[in-house]
């Protein structure tokens, strides 16, 4: 699924993020904080869809790539946005 808009809003974990710029790179921000960039790594992958990756604010390329830009951004934000609480393991241990 290709990202065709120059600016879009992405809701994730009770926050709203803005992706702005346009192909081949969109800045990922929330409240004027830059978290990184969504970048087109290849305009046409195996299935003809663009292949996306993440570039950190310091220019390092992320280790995830794929055609689902929304899931790539959400997974990245889970790792880098300090406002997102870590996911719970789903188990609760009884305290003696």
């Amino acid at each position: 699924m290709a990202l065709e808009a120059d600016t879009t809003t992405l809701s994730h974990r009770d926050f709203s993020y803005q992706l702005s710029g346009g192909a081949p790179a969109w800045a990922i921000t929330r409240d004027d904080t830059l978290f990184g960039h969504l970048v087109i790594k290849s305009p046409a992958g195996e299935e003809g869809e663009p292949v996306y990756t993440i570039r950190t604010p310091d220019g390092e390329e992320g280790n995830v790539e794929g055609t689902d830009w929304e899931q790539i951004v959400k997974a990245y934000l889970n790792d880098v946005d300090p406002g997102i609480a870590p996911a719970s393991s789903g188990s609760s241990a009884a305290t003696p």
Side-chain angles (χ1 to χ4, degrees), residues 3 6 19-27 37-40 55:
L3 176 59
D6 288 343
L19 279 76
S20 57
W26 293 262
H37 295 85
L38 175 70
V39 179
I40 296 177
R55 189 178 318 124

Side-chain angles (χ1 to χ4, degrees), residues 2-27:
L3 176 59
E4 296 175 359
D6 288 343
T7 303
T8 191
T9 299
L10 176 67
S11 296
H12 179 57
R13 301 267 182 117
D14 298 326
F15 292 110
S16 289
Y17 298 89
Q18 288 69 46
L19 279 76
S20 57
W26 293 262

